[in-house]
Amino acid sequence: MAPKAAKKAVKKATKKVVKKAVKKTTKKKVKKVKKAKKVKKAKKPKRKAKRVSKIAKGKRAKSSVLRGTKEKTVGGLTKADLMKSKSGKVVSKKASIRAKKTFNQRLGGWLAAVAKARKALGIKGFCAIGGKTAKGKAFHAKAKSFYKKK
């Protein structure tokens, strides 16, 4: 009986030793695997950040250029080429100057003549220039005479 008990005790002791050894090796293997994963993660190249466009596009392009968030519009207008109109809309300086010039050449004189005629005849409120009424005809004749003088 004694040899059987001794065998059991030896078997138990060897089992413990083997278990410890297996545990140590598995721990080492797990550590190695974790290290390898960390290394793999570190080796991945980083993605480049998206480059933001300096050119403004869309409906509010001119306003964003004037504000300074973008450098120029699709058409090439920079902050120096833009301004705010009387109504508050962002417009091209050149286009605005050209429009004012053509307005003064074509329509400005006539509007000034109409205003002068309205004052001379004492017309207040709406009155059609020309038309069928005597008042309208007189208004038209007076405006025309002021327009021709210029």
Side-chain angles (χ1 to χ4, degrees), residues 43-48:
K43 281 183 181 177
K44 259 189 184 177
K46 288 183 181 179
R47 274 179 70 186
K48 284 185 181 176

Side-chain angles (χ1 to χ4, degrees), residues 51-57 64-65 69-74 77:
R51 203 179 314 139
V52 181
S53 175
K54 293 177 183 178
I55 297 164
K57 296 169 193 146
S64 62
V65 170
T69 53
K70 299 281 183 183
E71 280 185 24
K72 61 181 179 177
T73 63
V74 176
L77 296 172

Side-chain angles (χ1 to χ4, degrees), residues 30-42:
V30 168
K31 279 184 181 178
K32 276 185 182 177
V33 169
K34 281 184 180 176
K35 273 188 180 177
K37 279 185 181 177
K38 281 182 183 176
V39 171
K40 280 182 185 176
K41 281 181 185 174

Side-chain angles (χ1 to χ4, degrees), residues 58-99:
K59 196 173 186 179
R60 299 193 192 115
K62 288 179 191 159
S63 64
S64 62
V65 170
L66 192 70
R67 203 179 316 119
T69 53
K70 299 281 183 183
E71 280 185 24
K72 61 181 179 177
T73 63
V74 176
L77 296 172
T78 58
K79 192 174 182 176
D81 303 326
L82 297 170
M83 64 180 247
K84 273 200 174 185
S85 67
K86 208 191 312 182
S87 58
K89 189 178 176 185
V90 179
V91 293
S92 162
K93 276 183 188 174
K94 278 184 182 176
S96 178
I97 290 165
R98 188 173 60 242

